Amino acid sequence: MSKKWFDVEENESIGDCLDRMAQEGYTPVRRMEEPVFKEVKDGSSVRQEPIRQKIRFQGQKSEQ
């Protein structure tokens, strides 16, 4: 079985990403979310601040 990862782009809805997967002939089998951080300097220390959530879908080639 052929598998491929699809990222939900910055200005794209989850539905748009799923539609794109279907157009390429893939069915979603797994969803992953991971935070995206930005470094913020606070005086002499640097801290990580979450700025958004990155959503990825793993697609499996549809049997058609």
Side-chain angles (χ1 to χ4, degrees):
M1 290 279 166
S2 176
K3 293 184 180 179
K4 179 179 174 182
W5 284 100
F6 293 85
D7 293 337
V8 177
E9 302 297 331
E10 192 90 25
N11 297 317
E12 181 181 43
S13 71
I14 292 173
D16 291 340
C17 182
L18 294 174
D19 290 343
R20 187 164 40 94
M21 289 177 70
Q23 287 175 354
E24 292 187 33
Y26 286 86
T27 303
V29 292
R30 185 172 167 194
R31 174 181 168 154
M32 276 185 43
E33 293 188 31
E34 52 191 57
V36 177
F37 293 97
K38 170 177 84 170
E39 285 188 356
V40 178
K41 292 184 180 182
D42 191 15
S44 61
S45 66
V46 176
R47 60 187 168 89
Q48 300 287 328
E49 195 172 277
I51 55 172
R52 66 183 182 93
Q53 197 76 353
K54 181 177 179 182
I55 302 172
R56 304 180 81 201
F57 289 97
Q58 186 177 38
Q60 188 169 347
K61 196 73 170 167
S62 301
E63 305 251 347
Q64 293 180 0

